[in-house]
Every structure is written in C-alpha cells, then in structure tokens.
Amino acid sequence: MNKMIATIIFSFFSLPTFAAPVDIDLSGAASSTLIDADGASFSQTFTGQTASGAGISGSPTGPLSLTPSGTMSVAFWSPGCPGCDSGNSLLTPSSFQGPLSILFDFNADSFSWVMGGSVAGSNVTVDLFSNNGSLINTVLISMLEGYYKYSISGLGAFAGLTFRDNNDPAGVRYMDMSYNSVSEVPIPAAAFMFAPALLGFMGLRRRTKPAV
C-alpha cells in the first residue's frame, strides 16, 4: 500500500510535457532590424553575437534574446515546391547570405522551414541554443537547387537558433516556418496541500499495528 501511495505521489508531481504545432506567421511582417512575428521573433544576431558577412562571432548571453542588427527584407514569394505555402519570406543583408537568428515564443523540439538555394551542395550551418544561451547542437544543412522543405528534430528542446555561414552564391530565402512547441504543464496549487496528507497517512500506517 505504501509503495502504491509513493507511486501516486511521484506520478502526481512529475511534470507532463505538452506539445503543440506552431506556424510562424509572417503575414504582417515588414522589413526591419528586428521582426516580431506571431510564433517567433527574428534578427541577425542574439545578444552577445556579432554578424560579419555570412558568418557570426561571439556566443549568446543568457537569457537568450535578440539584438537588432542588419535590416532583414520581407518579400512575398511563391516557392512552387510540393507542400510549400506561398507567403512572406525573409532575406538577410550581405547579398542574402548573412546570418539569421530566430527566437521562438515557446521551446521547440523540432523546426521546419522552406529554403531556396541556387546551387546544389551549398551549405548553411544551424546552431541550436537553450534559454540560457548555451549551445545545444550544431547542424550542417546541405542544400538542394531550388526550393525545398527542410527540418531539424530529435536533438532535444531548444529556445532559438541561428543560420550562419551560408555559402550559396545567390544567397538564401527563408519562409514557411513552423515548429513543435514543448512545455511542462504546471502543478496545481492543490497538489502541495494534498501531498503532505498522503505522506502523513503513510507514516500513520507504519506506526499502527493490526489488532491481535
């Protein structure tokens, strides 16, 4: 019985994970050094980073936040690839080759986007960051010629990411972005009142002996 009660308490206090898809809405976005869209915000760099051409130097500082830098262009585009939606796209400075940093409204465990490149085999590097600015993982994306949907998943939860070191000669256009948000469901306040009662009941059972 005591083991069962302990299991109930553990299960009650374990934080379940809630996941939901989020489509980043760029429909109302305008060209700027810092773009705040529904679902995520965009800039070239996080605080602590400095953009230089297609590259980036420095590391984000915690908590993870964006710093306005070069002006990003917003333009409507029809990519024409299967499963890709037409809509506003993002183009970064330095001939569309500069870095792009994204801060999600919620932590994500996957991210998908449409990206257009001009030369097959061109690369772009993606750094994934936690809420405190620490680097979680780095992914090298090898691009195809034309517009295709790409995705990142299976690397744990991340709060934001940076595209950098794009070597496509014509630059890259980013659009049709979405992610799977993950968050812990908060424990109801009543749980903290209920748990001591269960623990007290367990102690009472240990002290009480069955009648002979």
Side-chain angles (χ1 to χ4, degrees):
M1 179 66 177
N2 288 348
K3 183 177 180 181
M4 182 181 72
I5 294 174
T7 301
I8 292 173
I9 293 175
F10 178 79
S11 300
F12 199 73
F13 279 91
S14 296
L15 294 177
T17 299
F18 175 78
V22 177
D23 293 325
I24 299 175
D25 185 6
L26 288 170
S27 60
S31 300
S32 177
T33 57
L34 179 63
I35 297 173
D36 187 13
D38 186 14
S41 300
F42 302 84
S43 181
Q44 278 206 280
T45 60
F46 289 112
T47 303
Q49 295 177 321
T50 301
S52 177
I56 206 163
S57 61
S59 300
T61 56
L64 193 66
S65 61
L66 294 169
T67 296
S69 47
T71 299
M72 297 168 292
S73 300
V74 177
F76 186 87
W77 192 258
S78 297
C81 50
C84 304
D85 294 332
S86 300
N88 278 345
S89 62
L90 292 180
L91 298 160
T92 59
S94 300
S95 302
F96 310 147
Q97 291 179 317
L100 173 67
S101 294
I102 307 174
L103 180 63
F104 301 117
D105 287 357
F106 309 96
N107 283 348
D109 65 2
S110 66
F111 174 65
S112 65
W113 73 102
V114 171
M115 182 166 60
S118 64
V119 178
S122 296
N123 298 318
V124 62
T125 300
V126 186
D127 293 326
L128 308 179
F129 297 104
S130 67
N131 285 303
N132 64 11
S134 61
L135 179 66
I136 294 175
N137 218 315
T138 296
V139 181
L140 181 66
I141 304 293
S142 181
M143 292 181 281
L144 301 171
E145 182 179 352
Y147 285 86
Y148 291 89
K149 181 161 283 191
Y150 299 83
S151 64
I152 295 172
S153 62
L155 299 175
F158 46 94
L161 57 83
T162 294
F163 290 97
R164 61 175 173 85
D165 297 334
N166 160 37
N167 63 4
D168 188 282
V172 170
R173 184 188 300 269
Y174 303 92
M175 61 183 303
D176 193 10
M177 293 174 273
S178 63
Y179 61 95
N180 189 59
S181 68
V182 290
S183 60
E184 292 180 335
V185 179
I187 301 174
F192 295 99
M193 299 174 62
F194 180 64
L198 280 176
L199 292 171
F201 178 68
M202 290 171 62
L204 180 63
R205 283 185 55 83
R206 289 195 183 98
R207 291 193 299 269
T208 304
K209 295 182 179 180
V212 178

